[in-house]
Amino acid sequence: MSEEKRPERREEGRFHVSLSEEQLNADRSSVDMQQYANIGASSRRDEVQAELAAARNVQARHAEQREAREHRKRNRVKGRKNRRIFTLTWVIMVVLVSLTVSSYLISGSN
């Protein structure tokens, strides 16, 4: 009676595949090759992306350096121009002040 009360056990998840050794090896090698190709492609893609990022960083650094050099050059040119204007302004002021003082001294303080 104890055997009648027990439910039948089903063996789930067990199945049988009949493949020859050649088919099994062929399938494994194709899967392995595809996996390695995918891994290789992704690693190559990552390497290329890393190289491109490094190249962009180098280009950006060169661009910043070039910009800084051009900025210094513009500042030197502006500095020369400002120095000339400042010198000319002071010369004109000295001439005007000297003319005013000389006219005051010549005409007197009447």
Side-chain angles (χ1 to χ4, degrees), residues 18-110:
S18 59
L19 290 175
S20 68
E21 283 294 320
E22 293 172 1
Q23 290 174 334
L24 185 61
N25 290 335
D27 288 342
R28 282 185 185 165
S29 64
S30 66
V31 169
D32 291 343
M33 294 299 279
Q34 288 174 354
Q35 288 175 348
Y36 286 127
N38 290 340
I39 291 170
S42 65
S43 66
R44 283 191 298 270
R45 189 174 341 145
D46 293 342
E47 289 173 4
V48 168
Q49 287 176 350
E51 289 174 6
L52 289 175
R56 279 189 224 114
N57 289 342
V58 168
Q59 288 175 348
R61 190 172 60 237
H62 286 305
E64 289 174 4
Q65 290 173 349
R66 185 173 45 253
E67 216 172 281
R69 277 194 306 266
E70 290 172 359
H71 186 68
R72 285 192 300 267
K73 189 175 180 180
R74 278 193 305 270
N75 281 345
R76 280 188 228 120
V77 170
K78 286 167 115 179
R80 284 187 218 124
K81 185 177 179 182
N82 287 343
R83 191 178 313 130
R84 289 179 192 141
I85 291 172
F86 185 74
T87 304
L88 184 63
T89 303
W90 273 103
V91 167
I92 290 173
M93 283 184 60
V94 168
V95 168
L96 287 176
V97 168
S98 64
L99 287 174
T100 305
V101 170
S102 64
S103 70
Y104 176 74
L105 289 175
I106 291 175
S107 66
S109 60
N110 291 352

